[in-house]
Amino acid sequence: MEIQQLRHLMAAVEHRNLLKAADKTFISQSGLSRSIKSLEHRLGVPLLIRGPKGVEPTVYGQSVLRRAKVILNEVAKSIQEVRAIEQARVGEVTFGITPNYATYLVPQLLAALHRDRPGLRVTVITDGFVELIERVKSESIDFAFGLIGQVRRSDGIVIETIRAHRARVMAAADHPLARAGVCTSEDLARAEWAMLNGEGVQRSFGLFFENRGLPVPAQVMRSNSISLVRQMVKDSNVLSILPEEVVHADIEAGEIVALECETPVEQTRVGLFFREGGLLTPQAELVIDRFRRAASPIEEAVAA
């Protein structure tokens, strides 16, 4: 029993005329007749009879028609679902982010995504860079986004840098170094710090002072949360190195100051991590495109 045979049978009963049914289903009358006869032969019973008002279903035909309507309705739904999935209107996507983005950029991106694609289900895993790389490799997540650490070429991971944060030394507005104006590397070495816990950030931070023959300053706190480090800077006398765009509003409000000094870590890279040669679903491609597009407006806002 084929789907097209059921459509031909339904058309014949609906129009009560084989010629009209053939026209509506874009087939010749002889072709439609052969299709229905083939179905009758398969079932071993007559499905149609000619009555005074035209073609009518037999008792067997009525039974087949009841099921045919259900089958064709389900087929139509399946086609709609496949097209919706292909266009990423529904379905699922699972991705990871580094923790510093749990309260920055990603929530806004997901809110906009939900407005545009309410049928799309998203699972977000928060973890460190190294752990996310392992999740991508094991295919437990589709891709990951966040601060980029060190990755070996042999890891089978493709890194796509989609933005580079310009980082500055940040302090509370009432910090002594903020009031002093220009500060030296020696001033930075004597200060206490709250730093992001990324591998690349920590290495660059230490090398900055070692290369100048200075002791690496104490870090009273390390965290993988930008929000926590940012709040620590506002509420205490610690320094930190943060992307300007993250604290742009705090600078405008006069709560945080970017110090006039050399910056131990001038840039942090942010990007996407994929499996090398891996195939991405349309849903994953859609979300990835949203991440790529999210960079430009923020950079323009900071520049303004």
PDB file of all heavy atoms in Angstrom, residues 220-249:
ATOM      1  N   VAL A 220      44.322  37.849  45.436  1.00  0.00           N
ATOM      2  CA  VAL A 220      43.493  37.512  46.596  1.00  0.00           C
ATOM      3  C   VAL A 220      42.289  36.677  46.182  1.00  0.00           C
ATOM      4  O   VAL A 220      41.661  36.022  47.013  1.00  0.00           O
ATOM      5  CB  VAL A 220      43.022  38.787  47.328  1.00  0.00           C
ATOM      6  CG1 VAL A 220      44.214  39.567  47.840  1.00  0.00           C
ATOM      7  CG2 VAL A 220      42.164  39.663  46.411  1.00  0.00           C
ATOM      8  N   MET A 221      41.991  36.694  44.886  1.00  0.00           N
ATOM      9  CA  MET A 221      40.890  35.869  44.392  1.00  0.00           C
ATOM     10  C   MET A 221      41.113  35.542  42.928  1.00  0.00           C
ATOM     11  O   MET A 221      41.557  36.383  42.150  1.00  0.00           O
ATOM     12  CB  MET A 221      39.539  36.586  44.542  1.00  0.00           C
ATOM     13  CG  MET A 221      38.351  35.701  44.150  1.00  0.00           C
ATOM     14  SD  MET A 221      36.787  36.607  44.047  1.00  0.00           S
ATOM     15  CE  MET A 221      36.998  37.472  42.496  1.00  0.00           C
ATOM     16  N   ARG A 222      40.800  34.300  42.583  1.00  0.00           N
ATOM     17  CA  ARG A 222      40.736  33.887  41.187  1.00  0.00           C
ATOM     18  C   ARG A 222      39.339  33.322  40.946  1.00  0.00           C
ATOM     19  O   ARG A 222      38.794  32.620  41.795  1.00  0.00           O
ATOM     20  CB  ARG A 222      41.768  32.805  40.867  1.00  0.00           C
ATOM     21  CG  ARG A 222      43.210  33.259  40.928  1.00  0.00           C
ATOM     22  CD  ARG A 222      44.112  32.124  40.495  1.00  0.00           C
ATOM     23  NE  ARG A 222      45.514  32.455  40.616  1.00  0.00           N
ATOM     24  CZ  ARG A 222      46.499  31.642  40.254  1.00  0.00           C
ATOM     25  NH1 ARG A 222      46.222  30.446  39.750  1.00  0.00           N
ATOM     26  NH2 ARG A 222      47.753  32.014  40.390  1.00  0.00           N
ATOM     27  N   SER A 223      38.807  33.614  39.782  1.00  0.00           N
ATOM     28  CA  SER A 223      37.468  33.110  39.480  1.00  0.00           C
ATOM     29  C   SER A 223      37.307  33.000  37.971  1.00  0.00           C
ATOM     30  O   SER A 223      37.962  33.717  37.214  1.00  0.00           O
ATOM     31  CB  SER A 223      36.390  34.042  40.046  1.00  0.00           C
ATOM     32  OG  SER A 223      35.099  33.613  39.653  1.00  0.00           O
ATOM     33  N   ASN A 224      36.437  32.093  37.552  1.00  0.00           N
ATOM     34  CA  ASN A 224      36.110  32.021  36.130  1.00  0.00           C
ATOM     35  C   ASN A 224      34.845  32.813  35.815  1.00  0.00           C
ATOM     36  O   ASN A 224      34.280  32.691  34.740  1.00  0.00           O
ATOM     37  CB  ASN A 224      35.958  30.564  35.668  1.00  0.00           C
ATOM     38  CG  ASN A 224      34.956  29.796  36.514  1.00  0.00           C
ATOM     39  OD1 ASN A 224      34.166  30.392  37.241  1.00  0.00           O
ATOM     40  ND2 ASN A 224      34.985  28.477  36.421  1.00  0.00           N
ATOM     41  N   SER A 225      34.406  33.634  36.775  1.00  0.00           N
ATOM     42  CA  SER A 225      33.221  34.467  36.575  1.00  0.00           C
ATOM     43  C   SER A 225      33.625  35.934  36.423  1.00  0.00           C
ATOM     44  O   SER A 225      34.134  36.553  37.364  1.00  0.00           O
ATOM     45  CB  SER A 225      32.258  34.322  37.759  1.00  0.00           C
ATOM     46  OG  SER A 225      31.245  35.307  37.704  1.00  0.00           O
ATOM     47  N   ILE A 226      33.402  36.492  35.249  1.00  0.00           N
ATOM     48  CA  ILE A 226      33.683  37.911  35.033  1.00  0.00           C
ATOM     49  C   ILE A 226      32.829  38.767  35.957  1.00  0.00           C
ATOM     50  O   ILE A 226      33.289  39.771  36.505  1.00  0.00           O
ATOM     51  CB  ILE A 226      33.426  38.293  33.558  1.00  0.00           C
ATOM     52  CG1 ILE A 226      34.623  37.888  32.704  1.00  0.00           C
ATOM     53  CG2 ILE A 226      33.193  39.794  33.402  1.00  0.00           C
ATOM     54  CD1 ILE A 226      34.532  38.323  31.260  1.00  0.00           C
ATOM     55  N   SER A 227      31.575  38.375  36.152  1.00  0.00           N
ATOM     56  CA  SER A 227      30.672  39.165  36.995  1.00  0.00           C
ATOM     57  C   SER A 227      31.186  39.256  38.424  1.00  0.00           C
ATOM     58  O   SER A 227      31.128  40.325  39.055  1.00  0.00           O
ATOM     59  CB  SER A 227      29.270  38.549  36.982  1.00  0.00           C
ATOM     60  OG  SER A 227      28.719  38.586  35.689  1.00  0.00           O
ATOM     61  N   LEU A 228      31.697  38.143  38.949  1.00  0.00           N
ATOM     62  CA  LEU A 228      32.218  38.145  40.321  1.00  0.00           C
ATOM     63  C   LEU A 228      33.469  39.013  40.431  1.00  0.00           C
ATOM     64  O   LEU A 228      33.610  39.809  41.371  1.00  0.00           O
ATOM     65  CB  LEU A 228      32.516  36.711  40.762  1.00  0.00           C
ATOM     66  CG  LEU A 228      33.064  36.530  42.178  1.00  0.00           C
ATOM     67  CD1 LEU A 228      32.102  37.112  43.211  1.00  0.00           C
ATOM     68  CD2 LEU A 228      33.322  35.052  42.463  1.00  0.00           C
ATOM     69  N   VAL A 229      34.382  38.875  39.473  1.00  0.00           N
ATOM     70  CA  VAL A 229      35.608  39.682  39.495  1.00  0.00           C
ATOM     71  C   VAL A 229      35.259  41.164  39.366  1.00  0.00           C
ATOM     72  O   VAL A 229      35.809  42.015  40.073  1.00  0.00           O
ATOM     73  CB  VAL A 229      36.561  39.239  38.368  1.00  0.00           C
ATOM     74  CG1 VAL A 229      37.739  40.198  38.253  1.00  0.00           C
ATOM     75  CG2 VAL A 229      37.049  37.814  38.613  1.00  0.00           C
ATOM     76  N   ARG A 230      34.354  41.477  38.479  1.00  0.00           N
ATOM     77  CA  ARG A 230      33.924  42.867  38.279  1.00  0.00           C
ATOM     78  C   ARG A 230      33.363  43.461  39.566  1.00  0.00           C
ATOM     79  O   ARG A 230      33.680  44.593  39.944  1.00  0.00           O
ATOM     80  CB  ARG A 230      32.875  42.890  37.166  1.00  0.00           C
ATOM     81  CG  ARG A 230      32.119  44.174  36.987  1.00  0.00           C
ATOM     82  CD  ARG A 230      31.241  44.057  35.753  1.00  0.00           C
ATOM     83  NE  ARG A 230      30.144  45.001  35.780  1.00  0.00           N
ATOM     84  CZ  ARG A 230      28.908  44.697  36.150  1.00  0.00           C
ATOM     85  NH1 ARG A 230      28.613  43.469  36.535  1.00  0.00           N
ATOM     86  NH2 ARG A 230      27.964  45.609  36.136  1.00  0.00           N
ATOM     87  N   GLN A 231      32.534  42.685  40.271  1.00  0.00           N
ATOM     88  CA  GLN A 231      31.951  43.182  41.520  1.00  0.00           C
ATOM     89  C   GLN A 231      33.012  43.339  42.601  1.00  0.00           C
ATOM     90  O   GLN A 231      32.961  44.280  43.403  1.00  0.00           O
ATOM     91  CB  GLN A 231      30.854  42.218  42.000  1.00  0.00           C
ATOM     92  CG  GLN A 231      29.953  42.797  43.076  1.00  0.00           C
ATOM     93  CD  GLN A 231      29.175  44.008  42.591  1.00  0.00           C
ATOM     94  OE1 GLN A 231      28.642  44.021  41.484  1.00  0.00           O
ATOM     95  NE2 GLN A 231      29.118  45.046  43.416  1.00  0.00           N
ATOM     96  N   MET A 232      33.992  42.431  42.600  1.00  0.00           N
ATOM     97  CA  MET A 232      35.090  42.514  43.572  1.00  0.00           C
ATOM     98  C   MET A 232      35.877  43.809  43.373  1.00  0.00           C
ATOM     99  O   MET A 232      36.275  44.472  44.337  1.00  0.00           O
ATOM    100  CB  MET A 232      36.005  41.300  43.403  1.00  0.00           C
ATOM    101  CG  MET A 232      37.102  41.191  44.431  1.00  0.00           C
ATOM    102  SD  MET A 232      36.508  40.547  45.994  1.00  0.00           S
ATOM    103  CE  MET A 232      38.075  40.318  46.857  1.00  0.00           C
ATOM    104  N   VAL A 233      36.099  44.181  42.127  1.00  0.00           N
ATOM    105  CA  VAL A 233      36.814  45.426  41.831  1.00  0.00           C
ATOM    106  C   VAL A 233      36.018  46.622  42.354  1.00  0.00           C
ATOM    107  O   VAL A 233      36.573  47.549  42.959  1.00  0.00           O
ATOM    108  CB  VAL A 233      37.060  45.565  40.312  1.00  0.00           C
ATOM    109  CG1 VAL A 233      37.581  46.959  39.970  1.00  0.00           C
ATOM    110  CG2 VAL A 233      38.046  44.504  39.842  1.00  0.00           C
ATOM    111  N   LYS A 234      34.720  46.616  42.145  1.00  0.00           N
ATOM    112  CA  LYS A 234      33.877  47.736  42.574  1.00  0.00           C
ATOM    113  C   LYS A 234      33.829  47.873  44.091  1.00  0.00           C
ATOM    114  O   LYS A 234      33.751  48.986  44.627  1.00  0.00           O
ATOM    115  CB  LYS A 234      32.455  47.555  42.029  1.00  0.00           C
ATOM    116  CG  LYS A 234      32.349  47.705  40.532  1.00  0.00           C
ATOM    117  CD  LYS A 234      31.002  47.260  39.999  1.00  0.00           C
ATOM    118  CE  LYS A 234      29.881  48.150  40.463  1.00  0.00           C
ATOM    119  NZ  LYS A 234      28.594  47.795  39.799  1.00  0.00           N
ATOM    120  N   ASP A 235      33.889  46.728  44.798  1.00  0.00           N
ATOM    121  CA  ASP A 235      33.647  46.740  46.242  1.00  0.00           C
ATOM    122  C   ASP A 235      34.909  46.706  47.098  1.00  0.00           C
ATOM    123  O   ASP A 235      34.815  46.675  48.327  1.00  0.00           O
ATOM    124  CB  ASP A 235      32.770  45.538  46.626  1.00  0.00           C
ATOM    125  CG  ASP A 235      31.371  45.636  46.039  1.00  0.00           C
ATOM    126  OD1 ASP A 235      30.984  46.748  45.628  1.00  0.00           O
ATOM    127  OD2 ASP A 235      30.679  44.604  45.973  1.00  0.00           O
ATOM    128  N   SER A 236      36.095  46.668  46.484  1.00  0.00           N
ATOM    129  CA  SER A 236      37.320  46.561  47.285  1.00  0.00           C
ATOM    130  C   SER A 236      38.459  47.297  46.587  1.00  0.00           C
ATOM    131  O   SER A 236      38.271  47.910  45.536  1.00  0.00           O
ATOM    132  CB  SER A 236      37.690  45.086  47.500  1.00  0.00           C
ATOM    133  OG  SER A 236      38.062  44.491  46.268  1.00  0.00           O
ATOM    134  N   ASN A 237      39.652  47.182  47.165  1.00  0.00           N
ATOM    135  CA  ASN A 237      40.821  47.865  46.613  1.00  0.00           C
ATOM    136  C   ASN A 237      41.685  46.949  45.761  1.00  0.00           C
ATOM    137  O   ASN A 237      42.895  47.152  45.655  1.00  0.00           O
ATOM    138  CB  ASN A 237      41.671  48.463  47.740  1.00  0.00           C
ATOM    139  CG  ASN A 237      41.221  49.880  48.079  1.00  0.00           C
ATOM    140  OD1 ASN A 237      40.549  50.533  47.280  1.00  0.00           O
ATOM    141  ND2 ASN A 237      41.578  50.348  49.260  1.00  0.00           N
ATOM    142  N   VAL A 238      41.094  45.930  45.162  1.00  0.00           N
ATOM    143  CA  VAL A 238      41.866  45.051  44.283  1.00  0.00           C
ATOM    144  C   VAL A 238      41.823  45.593  42.857  1.00  0.00           C
ATOM    145  O   VAL A 238      40.906  46.324  42.473  1.00  0.00           O
ATOM    146  CB  VAL A 238      41.327  43.601  44.304  1.00  0.00           C
ATOM    147  CG1 VAL A 238      41.421  43.012  45.699  1.00  0.00           C
ATOM    148  CG2 VAL A 238      39.904  43.531  43.771  1.00  0.00           C
ATOM    149  N   LEU A 239      42.837  45.224  42.093  1.00  0.00           N
ATOM    150  CA  LEU A 239      42.862  45.519  40.664  1.00  0.00           C
ATOM    151  C   LEU A 239      42.470  44.262  39.897  1.00  0.00           C
ATOM    152  O   LEU A 239      42.550  43.152  40.411  1.00  0.00           O
ATOM    153  CB  LEU A 239      44.263  45.954  40.230  1.00  0.00           C
ATOM    154  CG  LEU A 239      44.899  47.145  40.943  1.00  0.00           C
ATOM    155  CD1 LEU A 239      46.278  47.421  40.349  1.00  0.00           C
ATOM    156  CD2 LEU A 239      44.012  48.375  40.847  1.00  0.00           C
ATOM    157  N   SER A 240      42.095  44.453  38.659  1.00  0.00           N
ATOM    158  CA  SER A 240      41.848  43.306  37.791  1.00  0.00           C
ATOM    159  C   SER A 240      42.065  43.721  36.348  1.00  0.00           C
ATOM    160  O   SER A 240      42.155  44.917  36.029  1.00  0.00           O
ATOM    161  CB  SER A 240      40.435  42.752  37.964  1.00  0.00           C
ATOM    162  OG  SER A 240      40.306  41.523  37.256  1.00  0.00           O
ATOM    163  N   ILE A 241      42.167  42.734  35.490  1.00  0.00           N
ATOM    164  CA  ILE A 241      42.271  42.977  34.049  1.00  0.00           C
ATOM    165  C   ILE A 241      40.981  42.468  33.427  1.00  0.00           C
ATOM    166  O   ILE A 241      40.689  41.270  33.473  1.00  0.00           O
ATOM    167  CB  ILE A 241      43.488  42.253  33.449  1.00  0.00           C
ATOM    168  CG1 ILE A 241      44.773  42.773  34.096  1.00  0.00           C
ATOM    169  CG2 ILE A 241      43.534  42.438  31.941  1.00  0.00           C
ATOM    170  CD1 ILE A 241      45.994  41.957  33.770  1.00  0.00           C
ATOM    171  N   LEU A 242      40.220  43.391  32.869  1.00  0.00           N
ATOM    172  CA  LEU A 242      38.907  43.042  32.329  1.00  0.00           C
ATOM    173  C   LEU A 242      38.714  43.673  30.956  1.00  0.00           C
ATOM    174  O   LEU A 242      39.250  44.750  30.681  1.00  0.00           O
ATOM    175  CB  LEU A 242      37.800  43.532  33.269  1.00  0.00           C
ATOM    176  CG  LEU A 242      37.716  42.861  34.641  1.00  0.00           C
ATOM    177  CD1 LEU A 242      36.754  43.617  35.541  1.00  0.00           C
ATOM    178  CD2 LEU A 242      37.281  41.407  34.498  1.00  0.00           C
ATOM    179  N   PRO A 243      37.944  43.024  30.101  1.00  0.00           N
ATOM    180  CA  PRO A 243      37.621  43.637  28.806  1.00  0.00           C
ATOM    181  C   PRO A 243      36.849  44.936  29.013  1.00  0.00           C
ATOM    182  O   PRO A 243      35.950  45.009  29.855  1.00  0.00           O
ATOM    183  CB  PRO A 243      36.743  42.575  28.126  1.00  0.00           C
ATOM    184  CG  PRO A 243      37.067  41.298  28.825  1.00  0.00           C
ATOM    185  CD  PRO A 243      37.374  41.671  30.235  1.00  0.00           C
ATOM    186  N   GLU A 244      37.185  45.939  28.248  1.00  0.00           N
ATOM    187  CA  GLU A 244      36.525  47.237  28.398  1.00  0.00           C
ATOM    188  C   GLU A 244      35.018  47.139  28.199  1.00  0.00           C
ATOM    189  O   GLU A 244      34.247  47.799  28.892  1.00  0.00           O
ATOM    190  CB  GLU A 244      37.113  48.237  27.392  1.00  0.00           C
ATOM    191  CG  GLU A 244      38.485  48.753  27.776  1.00  0.00           C
ATOM    192  CD  GLU A 244      38.960  49.825  26.814  1.00  0.00           C
ATOM    193  OE1 GLU A 244      39.097  49.517  25.618  1.00  0.00           O
ATOM    194  OE2 GLU A 244      39.182  50.962  27.267  1.00  0.00           O
ATOM    195  N   GLU A 245      34.589  46.311  27.255  1.00  0.00           N
ATOM    196  CA  GLU A 245      33.158  46.249  26.975  1.00  0.00           C
ATOM    197  C   GLU A 245      32.364  45.672  28.140  1.00  0.00           C
ATOM    198  O   GLU A 245      31.191  45.987  28.323  1.00  0.00           O
ATOM    199  CB  GLU A 245      32.888  45.424  25.718  1.00  0.00           C
ATOM    200  CG  GLU A 245      33.264  43.969  25.830  1.00  0.00           C
ATOM    201  CD  GLU A 245      32.989  43.222  24.533  1.00  0.00           C
ATOM    202  OE1 GLU A 245      33.244  43.763  23.451  1.00  0.00           O
ATOM    203  OE2 GLU A 245      32.518  42.090  24.637  1.00  0.00           O
ATOM    204  N   VAL A 246      33.012  44.832  28.955  1.00  0.00           N
ATOM    205  CA  VAL A 246      32.311  44.222  30.081  1.00  0.00           C
ATOM    206  C   VAL A 246      31.989  45.253  31.157  1.00  0.00           C
ATOM    207  O   VAL A 246      30.949  45.189  31.812  1.00  0.00           O
ATOM    208  CB  VAL A 246      33.147  43.063  30.665  1.00  0.00           C
ATOM    209  CG1 VAL A 246      32.517  42.516  31.938  1.00  0.00           C
ATOM    210  CG2 VAL A 246      33.297  41.947  29.639  1.00  0.00           C
ATOM    211  N   VAL A 247      32.897  46.216  31.351  1.00  0.00           N
ATOM    212  CA  VAL A 247      32.713  47.208  32.419  1.00  0.00           C
ATOM    213  C   VAL A 247      32.381  48.589  31.854  1.00  0.00           C
ATOM    214  O   VAL A 247      32.484  49.589  32.563  1.00  0.00           O
ATOM    215  CB  VAL A 247      33.977  47.286  33.310  1.00  0.00           C
ATOM    216  CG1 VAL A 247      34.186  45.987  34.062  1.00  0.00           C
ATOM    217  CG2 VAL A 247      35.212  47.615  32.479  1.00  0.00           C
ATOM    218  N   HIS A 248      31.981  48.633  30.599  1.00  0.00           N
ATOM    219  CA  HIS A 248      31.693  49.916  29.959  1.00  0.00           C
ATOM    220  C   HIS A 248      30.656  50.715  30.751  1.00  0.00           C
ATOM    221  O   HIS A 248      30.831  51.918  30.997  1.00  0.00           O
ATOM    222  CB  HIS A 248      31.198  49.676  28.533  1.00  0.00           C
ATOM    223  CG  HIS A 248      30.870  50.915  27.776  1.00  0.00           C
ATOM    224  ND1 HIS A 248      31.819  51.849  27.423  1.00  0.00           N
ATOM    225  CD2 HIS A 248      29.684  51.399  27.316  1.00  0.00           C
ATOM    226  CE1 HIS A 248      31.242  52.843  26.767  1.00  0.00           C
ATOM    227  NE2 HIS A 248      29.950  52.591  26.691  1.00  0.00           N
ATOM    228  N   ALA A 249      29.578  50.050  31.180  1.00  0.00           N
ATOM    229  CA  ALA A 249      28.527  50.748  31.932  1.00  0.00           C
ATOM    230  C   ALA A 249      29.047  51.242  33.277  1.00  0.00           C
ATOM    231  O   ALA A 249      28.679  52.333  33.737  1.00  0.00           O
ATOM    232  CB  ALA A 249      27.330  49.826  32.134  1.00  0.00           C
TER     233      ALA A 249
END
